[in-house]
Amino acid sequence: GLSDGDKIGVIGDQTTLMNGDGQGGVAPHGTQYYMLQDSDAFVYVEMDPVSVLDYVSVEMRAWVHVESTSWQDSDRLRVWAHDSASPTASEVTLIDATDLDHESLVIEDQWNEYVGNIGDLAQVSMCFGLESSWADEEAWFDYFRIVGSGLR
């Protein structure tokens, strides 16, 4: 559980005194990022919803850094958006992966940007989460944003 030394929350990157926990590196944007480590269950963060109805060509973009270690089949990394205004809870998944060592969308030990088209959603809540069972299994998340090319 969350009581055995797990690290969850915002930390300073390698350019700060926090040193990115020694492994997260330099943030893609700013000098802080969100860290999830050894959660022992699926733990996720959901951001406040934002209306995107007035925009065209809308995308969600997010940067993720996955530690190079021995991931198990039971470990899971997920980044997604859902429509908080929809009664059917429409979702767009940027990445949903288990056993991260063998997932082609995951390149370990570097920051990778994931992008998804969210133009069909109305009230977007961006989410990210991790399930891991060892202290070496950790991921960092940064620069989540919604980008559109203009007004409708």
Side-chain angles (χ1 to χ4, degrees):
L2 297 177
S3 62
D4 63 351
D6 310 328
K7 296 177 182 172
I8 296 177
V10 176
I11 64 169
D13 75 0
Q14 202 169 17
T15 67
T16 70
L17 292 176
M18 295 181 89
N19 195 29
D21 194 45
Q23 297 170 328
V26 176
H29 186 263
T31 59
Q32 297 178 320
Y33 37 70
Y34 202 96
M35 177 180 188
L36 291 174
Q37 176 214 30
D38 189 19
S39 58
D40 297 323
F42 186 72
V43 173
Y44 70 96
V45 174
E46 180 174 342
M47 296 178 212
D48 290 338
V50 175
S51 175
V52 296
L53 284 173
D54 295 334
Y55 298 92
V56 295
S57 301
V58 184
E59 295 178 330
M60 175 181 160
R61 296 175 175 259
W63 286 87
V64 180
H65 181 290
V66 174
E67 179 62 20
S68 179
T69 189
S70 296
W71 296 89
Q72 287 83 42
D73 292 342
S74 59
D75 299 323
R76 181 181 186 197
L77 169 72
R78 185 165 190 234
V79 177
W80 74 102
H82 74 87
D83 193 336
S84 60
S86 171
T88 58
S90 301
E91 288 188 352
V92 172
T93 300
L94 280 65
I95 184 168
D96 190 354
T98 59
D99 191 9
L100 304 178
D101 293 320
H102 301 99
E103 172 58 52
S104 63
L105 292 176
V106 174
I107 302 170
E108 296 178 8
D109 268 345
Q110 72 179 39
W111 285 98
N112 299 288
E113 185 176 34
Y114 296 94
V115 178
N117 182 331
I118 57 172
D120 293 335
L121 306 182
Q123 288 280 74
V124 176
S125 292
M126 298 183 289
C127 308
F128 60 91
L130 181 73
E131 179 170 0
S132 65
S133 55
W134 296 97
D136 291 342
E137 297 170 343
E138 51 196 341
W140 300 269
F141 304 85
D142 192 36
Y143 203 30
F144 277 60
R145 64 212 182 278
I146 296 171
V147 179
S149 66
L151 296 173
R152 289 187 195 262

